[in-house]
Amino acid sequence: MREIVVYGDPVLTEKASPVEVFDEDLARLAAEMHAIMVKAPGVGLAAPQIGVPVQMAIVDVSVGEDPDELHILINPEVIEAEGAQKGEEGCLSFPDITAVVDRPLRVRIRAQNLAGHVVEMQAEGFKARAFCHEIDHLNGVLMTDRVSRLKREMIKKKVQKRVKAGTWHP
Ligand SMILES: [Zn+2]
């Protein structure tokens, strides 16, 4: 199984390539991403986070408990956003680090599914936050890009300390 890459790896700050081929390999990658996410555990994972720079992300706020909660987003975009929420956010590429990030309260997403069909979905609250966070990943945007400069510097210092200590491997 592939490993989750952490902050400092350039793959996390590049825009991922659109998915053009909807085949068994893509389905296999989605299944692998879900397994890695559940094991971590987390509520979402974007392909660049396992070193694959393509526009696919998964969100599952049930962490593998409810199959209806598994959302696979391929080439996704936010087509509507309304309201605002402030809340603590984590990221599997920033282990043990959280930050308060502003997000819309409700979003409407347009994406493709594993068959290549265009689908739309709506989410609000925590799930809307998760969708926005994962879609950001596909554009090379990290939660550190959505916090104040002071907070960003604090996170960078924490990471640098851990790199020195040998507990952070970008
Ligand atoms: Zn993340």
Side-chain angles (χ1 to χ4, degrees):
M1 228 159 44
R2 291 184 178 89
E3 303 233 314
I4 294 172
V5 298
V6 292
Y7 177 64
D9 189 312
V11 73
L12 292 176
T13 48
E14 287 159 15
K15 190 172 163 60
S17 309
V19 171
E20 281 162 3
V21 181
F22 297 82
D23 60 3
E24 269 175 35
D25 286 344
L26 189 70
R28 215 172 290 131
L29 179 64
E32 185 181 346
M33 283 168 59
H34 191 230
I36 292 170
M37 186 213 81
V38 168
K39 188 171 164 233
V43 296
L45 187 73
Q49 289 183 277
I50 54 165
V52 183
V54 300
Q55 287 186 34
M56 178 160 73
I58 54 173
V59 170
D60 178 1
V61 296
S62 82
V63 198
E65 291 295 314
D66 180 357
D68 290 340
E69 282 296 342
L70 171 58
H71 302 283
I72 299 170
L73 310 175
I74 301 168
N75 304 327
E77 50 178 336
V78 177
I79 53 171
E80 276 173 46
E82 57 172 45
Q85 57 173 320
K86 205 181 241 325
E88 195 135 49
E89 218 167 282
C91 177
L92 294 176
S93 295
F94 289 86
D96 303 318
I97 289 175
T98 58
V100 173
V101 182
D102 292 316
R103 296 288 184 187
L105 189 59
R106 274 180 291 275
V107 290
R108 191 166 181 83
I109 311 288
R110 183 178 292 149
Q112 282 169 281
N113 63 17
L114 284 172
H117 299 140
V118 174
V119 290
E120 286 190 11
M121 56 196 102
Q122 260 170 310
E124 63 174 87
F126 182 66
K127 207 195 275 188
R129 171 178 298 283
F131 277 128
C132 291
H133 179 109
E134 299 312 328
I135 292 172
D136 268 357
H137 270 301
L138 304 182
N139 292 308
V141 175
L142 299 172
M143 62 181 197
T144 39
D145 297 311
R146 301 221 179 257
V147 297
S148 68
R149 193 157 68 161
L150 182 67
K151 178 69 182 174
R152 184 157 53 242
E153 291 309 317
M154 282 169 59
I155 292 174
K156 281 184 180 169
K157 270 193 192 133
K158 240 186 230 180
V159 170
Q160 278 163 7
K161 261 191 202 163
R162 290 210 224 151
V163 169
K164 262 190 197 159
T167 57
W168 193 285
H169 310 277

